[in-house]
PDB file of all heavy atoms in Angstrom:
ATOM      1  N   GLY A 703      -6.251  -4.959   3.164  1.00 98.00           N
ATOM      2  CA  GLY A 703      -7.555  -5.329   3.716  1.00 98.00           C
ATOM      3  C   GLY A 703      -7.730  -6.843   3.788  1.00 98.00           C
ATOM      4  O   GLY A 703      -8.352  -7.376   4.708  1.00 98.00           O
ATOM      5  N   PRO A 706      -5.379  -9.505   7.033  1.00 98.00           N
ATOM      6  CA  PRO A 706      -5.816 -10.038   8.342  1.00 98.00           C
ATOM      7  C   PRO A 706      -6.680 -11.286   8.177  1.00 98.00           C
ATOM      8  O   PRO A 706      -6.607 -12.213   8.990  1.00 98.00           O
ATOM      9  CB  PRO A 706      -6.626  -8.877   8.943  1.00 98.00           C
ATOM     10  CG  PRO A 706      -6.147  -7.662   8.235  1.00 98.00           C
ATOM     11  CD  PRO A 706      -5.776  -8.109   6.855  1.00 98.00           C
ATOM     12  N   ILE A 707      -7.479 -11.324   7.108  1.00 98.00           N
ATOM     13  CA  ILE A 707      -8.371 -12.472   6.873  1.00 98.00           C
ATOM     14  C   ILE A 707      -7.524 -13.693   6.497  1.00 98.00           C
ATOM     15  O   ILE A 707      -7.732 -14.798   7.005  1.00 98.00           O
ATOM     16  CB  ILE A 707      -9.390 -12.150   5.765  1.00 98.00           C
ATOM     17  CG1 ILE A 707     -10.138 -10.861   6.116  1.00 98.00           C
ATOM     18  CG2 ILE A 707     -10.354 -13.308   5.543  1.00 98.00           C
ATOM     19  CD1 ILE A 707     -10.888 -10.216   4.956  1.00 98.00           C
ATOM     20  N   LEU A 730     -11.412  -4.720  -1.387  1.00 98.00           N
ATOM     21  CA  LEU A 730     -11.384  -4.521   0.058  1.00 98.00           C
ATOM     22  C   LEU A 730     -10.662  -3.235   0.445  1.00 98.00           C
ATOM     23  O   LEU A 730      -9.908  -2.665  -0.346  1.00 98.00           O
ATOM     24  CB  LEU A 730     -10.661  -5.686   0.761  1.00 98.00           C
ATOM     25  CG  LEU A 730     -11.553  -6.885   1.110  1.00 98.00           C
ATOM     26  CD1 LEU A 730     -11.662  -7.800  -0.082  1.00 98.00           C
ATOM     27  CD2 LEU A 730     -11.031  -7.599   2.328  1.00 98.00           C
ATOM     28  N   CYS A 731     -10.888  -2.840   1.707  1.00 98.00           N
ATOM     29  CA  CYS A 731     -10.098  -1.750   2.289  1.00 98.00           C
ATOM     30  C   CYS A 731      -9.784  -2.094   3.740  1.00 98.00           C
ATOM     31  O   CYS A 731     -10.348  -3.053   4.298  1.00 98.00           O
ATOM     32  CB  CYS A 731     -10.835  -0.414   2.188  1.00 98.00           C
ATOM     33  SG  CYS A 731     -12.429  -0.391   2.995  1.00 98.00           S
ATOM     34  N   PHE A 732      -8.869  -1.335   4.317  1.00 98.00           N
ATOM     35  CA  PHE A 732      -8.355  -1.595   5.666  1.00 98.00           C
ATOM     36  C   PHE A 732      -8.698  -0.371   6.515  1.00 98.00           C
ATOM     37  O   PHE A 732      -8.165   0.718   6.278  1.00 98.00           O
ATOM     38  CB  PHE A 732      -6.841  -1.779   5.547  1.00 98.00           C
ATOM     39  CG  PHE A 732      -6.083  -2.073   6.815  1.00 98.00           C
ATOM     40  CD1 PHE A 732      -5.972  -3.375   7.292  1.00 98.00           C
ATOM     41  CD2 PHE A 732      -5.437  -1.061   7.503  1.00 98.00           C
ATOM     42  CE1 PHE A 732      -5.237  -3.650   8.437  1.00 98.00           C
ATOM     43  CE2 PHE A 732      -4.691  -1.330   8.641  1.00 98.00           C
ATOM     44  CZ  PHE A 732      -4.592  -2.628   9.112  1.00 98.00           C
ATOM     45  N   CYS A 733      -9.611  -0.536   7.465  1.00 98.00           N
ATOM     46  CA  CYS A 733     -10.124   0.630   8.214  1.00 98.00           C
ATOM     47  C   CYS A 733      -9.583   0.645   9.636  1.00 98.00           C
ATOM     48  O   CYS A 733     -10.140  -0.017  10.527  1.00 98.00           O
ATOM     49  CB  CYS A 733     -11.635   0.602   8.240  1.00 98.00           C
ATOM     50  SG  CYS A 733     -12.401   0.444   6.627  1.00 98.00           S
ATOM     51  N   TYR A 775     -15.223  -4.371   3.988  1.00 98.00           N
ATOM     52  CA  TYR A 775     -14.479  -3.427   4.822  1.00 98.00           C
ATOM     53  C   TYR A 775     -13.857  -4.208   5.982  1.00 98.00           C
ATOM     54  O   TYR A 775     -14.595  -4.826   6.761  1.00 98.00           O
ATOM     55  CB  TYR A 775     -15.418  -2.336   5.364  1.00 98.00           C
ATOM     56  CG  TYR A 775     -15.942  -1.433   4.266  1.00 98.00           C
ATOM     57  CD1 TYR A 775     -16.918  -1.884   3.377  1.00 98.00           C
ATOM     58  CD2 TYR A 775     -15.441  -0.154   4.099  1.00 98.00           C
ATOM     59  CE1 TYR A 775     -17.367  -1.073   2.344  1.00 98.00           C
ATOM     60  CE2 TYR A 775     -15.895   0.673   3.079  1.00 98.00           C
ATOM     61  CZ  TYR A 775     -16.857   0.205   2.192  1.00 98.00           C
ATOM     62  OH  TYR A 775     -17.299   1.001   1.172  1.00 98.00           O
ATOM     63  N   THR A 776     -12.529  -4.201   6.074  1.00 98.00           N
ATOM     64  CA  THR A 776     -11.862  -4.822   7.221  1.00 98.00           C
ATOM     65  C   THR A 776     -11.712  -3.722   8.270  1.00 98.00           C
ATOM     66  O   THR A 776     -10.985  -2.755   8.060  1.00 98.00           O
ATOM     67  CB  THR A 776     -10.488  -5.386   6.792  1.00 98.00           C
ATOM     68  OG1 THR A 776     -10.729  -6.413   5.828  1.00 98.00           O
ATOM     69  CG2 THR A 776      -9.719  -5.963   7.961  1.00 98.00           C
ATOM     70  N   VAL A 777     -12.437  -3.894   9.379  1.00 98.00           N
ATOM     71  CA  VAL A 777     -12.548  -2.802  10.361  1.00 98.00           C
ATOM     72  C   VAL A 777     -11.988  -3.242  11.711  1.00 98.00           C
ATOM     73  O   VAL A 777     -12.303  -4.349  12.182  1.00 98.00           O
ATOM     74  CB  VAL A 777     -14.041  -2.415  10.534  1.00 98.00           C
ATOM     75  CG1 VAL A 777     -14.221  -1.391  11.650  1.00 98.00           C
ATOM     76  CG2 VAL A 777     -14.610  -1.886   9.228  1.00 98.00           C
ATOM     77  N   PHE A 793     -12.954  -7.079  12.146  1.00 98.00           N
ATOM     78  CA  PHE A 793     -14.227  -7.558  11.585  1.00 98.00           C
ATOM     79  C   PHE A 793     -14.243  -7.329  10.080  1.00 98.00           C
ATOM     80  O   PHE A 793     -13.601  -6.404   9.584  1.00 98.00           O
ATOM     81  CB  PHE A 793     -15.406  -6.779  12.192  1.00 98.00           C
ATOM     82  CG  PHE A 793     -15.521  -6.949  13.683  1.00 98.00           C
ATOM     83  CD1 PHE A 793     -14.825  -6.090  14.546  1.00 98.00           C
ATOM     84  CD2 PHE A 793     -16.275  -7.969  14.221  1.00 98.00           C
ATOM     85  CE1 PHE A 793     -14.893  -6.263  15.917  1.00 98.00           C
ATOM     86  CE2 PHE A 793     -16.354  -8.138  15.602  1.00 98.00           C
ATOM     87  CZ  PHE A 793     -15.664  -7.280  16.444  1.00 98.00           C
ATOM     88  N   ILE A 834     -12.656 -11.474  12.742  1.00 98.00           N
ATOM     89  CA  ILE A 834     -11.460 -12.127  12.184  1.00 98.00           C
ATOM     90  C   ILE A 834     -10.695 -12.791  13.329  1.00 98.00           C
ATOM     91  O   ILE A 834     -10.082 -12.119  14.151  1.00 98.00           O
ATOM     92  CB  ILE A 834     -10.556 -11.121  11.437  1.00 98.00           C
ATOM     93  CG1 ILE A 834     -11.382 -10.260  10.469  1.00 98.00           C
ATOM     94  CG2 ILE A 834      -9.447 -11.854  10.698  1.00 98.00           C
ATOM     95  CD1 ILE A 834     -10.588  -9.142   9.793  1.00 98.00           C
TER      96      ILE A 834
END
Side-chain angles (χ1 to χ4, degrees):
I707 306 164
L730 273 85
C731 59
F732 181 85
C733 307
Y775 293 74
T776 297
V777 174
F793 298 88
I834 312 174

